[in-house]
Amino acid sequence: MAGTINLTSQLKKHFGFDKFKGNQEAIILNLLNGNDTFVLMPTGGGKSLCYQLPSLLMEGTAIVISPLIALMKNQVDAMRNFSEEDGIAHFINSSLNKSAIDQVKTDILSGRTKLLYVAPESLTKVENIDFLKDVKISFYAVDEAHCISEWGHDFRPEYRRIRPIINEIGSAPVIALTATATPKVQHDIQKNLGMADSIVFKSSFNRSNLYYEVKAKTNNVDRDIIKFIRNNPEKSGIIYCLSRKKVEELAEILQANGINARAYHAGMDSATRSQNQDDFLMEKIEVIVATIAFGMGIDKPDVRYVIHYDIPKSLEGYYQETGRAGRDGGEGKCVTFYTNKDLQKLEKFMQGKPVAEQEIGKQLLQETAAYAESSVCRRRSLLHYFGEEYTEENCGNCDNCLNPKKQVEAQELLCSVLETVIAVKENFKAEYIIDILQGKETSEVQAHLHEDLEVFGSGMGEDDKVWNAVIRQALIAGYLSKDVENYGTLKVTDSGKKFLKSPKSFKITEDNDFEEVEEEAPARSGGSCAVDPVLFSMLKDLRKKLSKKLEVPPYVIFQDPSLEAMATIYPVTLDELQNIPGVGAGKAKRYGAEFCVLIKRHCEENEIERPEDLRVRTVANKSKLKVSIIQSIDRKVALDDIALSKGIEFSELLDEVEAIVYSGTKLNIDYFLNEIMDEDHLLDIYDYFRESTTDKLEDAMDELGEDYTEDEIRLVRIKFISEMAN
Ligand code: ADP
Ligand code: MG
Ligand code: ZN
């Protein structure tokens, strides 16, 4: 059949495209010939067409199983656009009422409908199954097929029932499609759908325009992120956090630092959530701080960076999420902040879950940790995880390739690992192999009597880190593999066996050291929100000393929040000191000098990069009211409306706004000024402040005269301070 039609002209006729993308044609031919077909193609590769076109060419109705109810309508609308016949495509999901479903059924029975989209939970309903039994099915398409596997990043139990239901409705070819599948997930999909022998069409998953980097997550992570965003101005970016609480906190911190950011997570009310999403798509906001709930089905082509604030739960998730950067083929920076501690936290969270699920979750996390800690090319590690070999020596677009580490010979170490894996009959995971090498008599080791093995303790000269690096890199080099059925169990491959017989050079790079970096940034001391707790305690000591000398209580000199701010912003001159909340000119003159000297010395001794134009304002230093005012102004809410909604007088609101700009935060209130003020007035007042030697309100009112109201002068002064001083 397939040989007789010209597929390219069909493509042109139905979809208007001139040629097929990637493997599309071969995939479609395979399906048209009645074969089960497995498609692995990155997001944006054009998977939908692989079932849409054949559905139009084959007799009967194609059933498309897809988990994204929200996207179904779009897909159906898109198909209808290609055809004159509305009945050509339909969907059935929980959102349809009885009469809509009846219409769908009528169209299907009349033979008009070529594509029927069904949510998996609707497919399991008896009445739907019974109805479909009487329908001629051309084929079944299982989209987002990774949902079948517990090892995928989006497991859905209903997906496991697809095969039995297909058998009940009536057999027809199956095409399964996904954008992410490790070999393990791929195996699960094929096994579960009973299509072990199907041809697999796999496109490369390499995204050469994406830059991958993993940075140590220290206590300065917020500052690092603010700095990153400021270095990438006016670009769209997504920051992923694991918890809703963190999403909100970080969004607030970014806003308080003048960054146009919004939060997005499933716990927010849906109106705000979709507003934030729309604003991001419309580029009214630059940064979205989100849980991984954000991004499903979002096709913003020019997201320029994706930051992972926390370690992703799996590498598949990481690939999906980073994949949202640079879809147009342009710049896409993917930066992950990693610390071992996050790993432990996540493992703890999993403890309430069933053991099997915990085991899976832990393995997936281990893979992510291995990726983060490894100094091997990120691209190569990532693609290897998806079963693809990347052979370039240096990809030139990841942190490890741009700063290559020295390689060391590990031939003997690899031999020890391979011997140990064989000695324990290829039945154990990496951690266990390392225990054996290190001669650790754990209860598991004792239970298997493995302390009697010859290899037991043979690797005590090297620490765990080294063994980890050897094992990870041996996996990538193909000397070891992980068992697909019992994931994580190490096997020696044929080339591993060959290596043991005649060992050759095997060079590895040491893993990146994240622990060392952490030591430089000591943990926060109890309760303080200073970014630099060491400096904070030094400042406290100085305050104590001065208080004794001057015989005044410490808080009279500076209060704690002021010291915290100093240990965050690092002011080194009396002028800079006055930017600190609670520090006026008088206090700065009277007590400030010694503090500036101390801070300056501390910065020099520790080579601290002072955030001169990077004033990180911790939200804790601001009252909730201030943060909320900043947010409202960012959203261009009229100032009198803000006052109204906060239940304060307009003049009180101006007090707050003044405090905000005087403490160094830039605010843009032009939208409001332009609306309420005469342009000449505005310019006159602005010019006055430009020429004046003082910003005192009384002086301004005297000088400008009765034509100008106090509020007007204050408003323009806010604009002036914000633009000139900050
Ligand atoms: P996927 O499901 O793999 O993420 P889609 O099926 O949504 O990708 O397709 C991504 C985009 O590519 C769509 O805009 C689609 O119209 C377009 N596309 C698909 N096939 C072709 C083709 N042969 N020529 C040009 N554009 C195509
Ligand atoms: Mg798709
Ligand atoms: Zn690289």
Side-chain angles (χ1 to χ4, degrees), residues 496-511:
K497 286 176 193 142
K498 232 181 267 161
F499 185 95
L500 263 184
K501 268 197 210 112
S502 52
K504 50 186 184 185
S505 168
F506 175 64
K507 297 223 162 144
I508 64 165
T509 48
E510 269 176 38
D511 279 355

Side-chain angles (χ1 to χ4, degrees), residues 3-100:
T4 61
I5 43 172
N6 181 339
L7 275 184
T8 310
S9 65
Q10 294 293 328
L11 175 71
K12 180 82 189 162
K13 176 178 155 206
H14 292 287
F15 295 91
F17 299 138
D18 291 323
K19 53 181 198 300
F20 288 102
K21 252 166 110 171
N23 290 334
Q24 279 174 337
E25 185 168 20
I27 292 166
I28 292 169
L29 276 172
N30 194 53
L31 183 60
L32 289 175
N33 283 326
N35 299 320
D36 288 345
T37 311
F38 192 79
V39 178
L40 281 150
M41 200 188 269
T43 306
K47 284 185 289 300
S48 323
L49 196 108
C50 298
Y51 53 80
Q52 287 167 340
L53 183 56
S55 78
L56 302 177
L57 304 178
M58 287 166 83
E59 195 193 330
T61 306
I63 307 279
V64 183
I65 301 153
S66 158
L68 302 169
I69 293 189
L71 293 184
M72 267 181 200
K73 199 176 161 327
N74 291 347
Q75 296 239 8
V76 167
D77 287 344
M79 271 314 284
R80 287 179 181 168
N81 272 335
F82 292 122
S83 162
E84 283 147 33
E85 172 72 81
D86 267 4
I88 189 138
H90 276 299
F91 62 85
I92 292 185
N93 64 34
S94 47
S95 75
L96 290 190
N97 61 23
K98 175 87 176 55
S99 71

Side-chain angles (χ1 to χ4, degrees), residues 521-562:
R524 288 182 179 187
S525 57
S528 142
C529 33
V531 165
D532 187 336
V534 174
L535 177 60
F536 180 63
S537 71
M538 287 162 71
L539 293 169
K540 268 166 69 170
D541 288 347
L542 175 60
R543 181 177 64 180
K544 206 186 274 165
K545 206 183 85 194
L546 274 179
S547 112
K548 278 206 185 114
K549 194 171 109 191
L550 303 170
E551 293 182 329
V552 294
Y555 63 81
V556 167
I557 301 174
F558 292 126
Q559 298 200 0
D560 274 3
S562 302

Side-chain angles (χ1 to χ4, degrees), residues 365-378:
L365 269 179
Q366 288 301 338
E367 302 275 10
T368 325
Y371 169 82
E373 287 169 18
S374 172
S375 57
V376 171
C377 169
R378 305 278 178 210

Side-chain angles (χ1 to χ4, degrees), residues 9 14 44 158 165 227 230 259 278 407 409 491 541 630 652 670 700 708:
S9 65
H14 292 287
E158 317 87 68
I165 291 172
K227 207 159 151 185
R230 294 212 173 147
I259 292 165
D278 288 350
Q407 296 205 314
E409 185 56 66
K491 307 267 180 206
D541 288 347
I630 294 173
E652 287 177 287
D670 286 353
Y708 303 82

